[in-house]
Amino acid sequence: MGLTFDHVTLGQRVLFGTGNAAENLAAEAARLGAQHVMVIASDRETEMARIVAAEIEVALWHHDVVMHVPIEAAEKARAAAAGADIDLLVCIGGGSTTGLAKAIAMTSRLPIIAVPTTYAGSEATNVWGLTKASRKTTGVDDAVLPVTVIYDAALTLSLPVDMSVASGLNGMAHCIDSMWAPRADPINAALGAEGIRALSQGLPLIAADPSGTEGREQALYGAYLAAVAFASAGSGLHHKICHVLGGTFNLPHAQTHATVLPYVLAFNAPATPDAAARIAVAFGTTDALTGLQELRKRLDAPKALADYGFTAEGIPEAVAVILPAVPASNPRPVTTENLTRLLQAALTGEDPRARLDL
Ligand code: NAD
């Protein structure tokens, strides 16, 4: 069979430059003709956000950011934007902050300029997420895709090493899950593979030299590629699992992704040798799981879901909610039994290689 695929590339401007965020933001706000700018940044992100927004006039600051975007927080922010006649949203912070800007854009159709300060990658996707009564809902809407993303590695210097590692492995999960996600194609696979290479180069540099920008730049570049690959390929098994663990059990997003990833890779890799080989090459090894596990060891990455509040009692409910969402295209059939075993192994941090029978 010839090479046949259907790929959509999302339109977005990306400005990348260490130390350039304030200047780039002012130029972009002017280019978009903004008169009433709302800047969203959590309390913890505000000091950094004030520096980034120093060269623009801000009509409204909004600091009420909560992880996984509870509907109540979204509605409060939407009302604040409407009340101040806002014509441009600027989010400066992690994925939770970007998520709140997206929740406003969903209903208002306002443009967003995103200035990310973690490696979550939400800024490069058209996916929104909202949480209502312990159920996280996501959807796709091009109106929530930021018009412009401004990357500045200097803004990530304050991200502690453990959070950088977890967040970077969240990016890694976008790359790896893209290889077998429902809309996987040669273009998003190429982006995902380059994302794996950049993240696996950048994250150890961050751990070795947290105040240097070289590793931070590589990680940010890799995180962007990861998110573009994910937005294009869609959610695979890994994302379906983490989505439920985050939304239903309120586990921390980045650490959950970092913990679950080797189990999903161990589960799927034997059933998809081409994807596994591609992942291995991107890690610079001959075996995908070995590549991931060696990197995780060097980084002292999160190991067990039990460390983040998950318990064995939660497994049956998690399995029941995850199972209907698993893409039919997953390379290996997913059953109540094998998904239960996967979650049991991730709960306690068992060696995933010893659990290839998952
Ligand atoms: P986060 O945004 O909640 O940030 C984690 C913590 O780090 C917060 O306390 C934040 O204030 C702090 N922080 C952020 N940047 C910092 C910096 N440079 N220095 C010091 N502290 C900093 O977590 P996250 O992992 O970035 O994002 C997770 C959220 O993003 C989840 O809700 C997830 O669903 C969403 N997400 C969405 C998409 C999408 O495509 N829609 C993609 C990835 C993640």
Side-chain angles (χ1 to χ4, degrees):
M1 201 168 59
L3 192 59
T4 308
F5 59 86
D6 171 352
H7 176 89
V8 176
T9 296
L10 298 174
Q12 180 179 64
R13 186 163 197 195
V14 177
L15 297 168
F16 199 108
T18 302
N20 298 344
E23 193 188 322
N24 282 337
L25 175 59
E28 278 302 282
R31 187 178 71 85
L32 296 172
Q35 299 291 320
H36 302 278
V37 180
M38 176 174 180
V39 178
I40 304 163
S42 72
D43 287 330
R44 198 165 150 193
E45 296 154 350
T46 296
E47 196 184 320
M48 183 160 64
R50 290 206 182 276
I51 297 168
V52 175
E55 296 175 26
I56 61 169
E57 201 171 310
V58 178
L60 181 67
W61 282 90
H62 191 87
H63 303 297
D64 193 2
V65 174
V66 185
M67 194 182 275
H68 304 307
V69 199
I71 186 73
E72 300 75 18
E75 277 168 3
K76 223 166 116 184
R78 288 167 178 168
D85 198 18
I86 294 303
D87 57 10
L88 174 66
L89 304 169
V90 174
C91 49
I92 305 171
S96 301
T97 300
T98 312
L100 186 60
K102 287 178 162 183
I104 303 172
M106 249 175 101
T107 50
S108 66
R109 318 315 271 176
L110 287 170
I112 302 173
I113 296 178
V115 188
T117 63
T118 69
Y119 309 117
S122 177
E123 67 281 356
T125 83
N126 55 358
V127 179
W128 53 262
L130 283 172
T131 303
K132 200 172 179 180
S134 287
R135 285 285 185 271
K136 188 167 168 181
T137 315
T138 58
V140 172
D141 182 345
D142 284 350
V144 309
L145 178 75
V147 174
T148 305
V149 185
I150 295 172
Y151 286 108
D152 180 342
L155 302 175
T156 62
L157 289 171
S158 53
L159 198 63
V161 170
D162 60 347
M163 184 59 201
S164 301
V165 165
S167 187
L169 290 172
N170 180 190
M172 186 67 85
H174 293 323
C175 300
I176 290 179
D177 212 29
S178 292
M179 299 289 178
W180 46 64
R183 298 189 306 276
D185 69 37
I187 297 176
N188 49 49
L191 297 170
E194 170 65 357
I196 293 170
R197 189 207 57 75
L199 285 162
S200 60
Q201 187 187 322
L203 295 177
L205 289 174
I206 294 174
D209 179 18
S211 54
T213 52
E214 192 190 340
R216 303 272 181 188
E217 285 181 346
Q218 281 301 311
L220 213 43
Y221 164 64
Y224 164 72
L225 294 173
V228 175
F230 164 62
S232 166
S235 285
L237 175 63
H238 173 86
H239 279 80
K240 296 299 181 188
I241 293 173
C242 293
H243 173 88
V244 170
L245 295 175
T248 305
F249 298 93
N250 204 26
L251 301 192
H253 181 84
Q255 291 85 345
T256 301
H257 277 267
T259 306
V260 170
L261 185 60
Y263 297 96
V264 175
L265 181 58
F267 182 86
N268 269 347
T272 176
D274 289 352
R278 183 135 208 197
I279 294 166
V281 169
F283 275 119
T285 61
T286 51
D287 177 78
L289 187 58
T290 305
L292 177 62
Q293 291 300 70
E294 279 178 1
L295 178 70
R296 285 172 39 82
K297 199 168 160 196
R298 282 174 78 186
L299 299 173
D300 193 20
K303 287 180 193 66
L305 290 176
D307 295 338
Y308 301 99
F310 194 53
T311 61
E313 289 73 57
I315 291 180
E317 184 186 355
V319 169
V321 186
I322 294 164
L323 213 49
V326 173
S329 60
N330 194 63
R332 244 184 98 175
V334 181
T335 64
T336 300
E337 292 70 34
N338 61 26
L339 184 55
T340 300
R341 284 201 297 277
L342 189 156
L343 289 178
Q344 281 166 341
L347 174 71
T348 55
E350 278 177 56
D351 178 2
R353 190 169 288 291
R355 293 302 305 261
L356 283 175
D357 64 325
L358 285 167

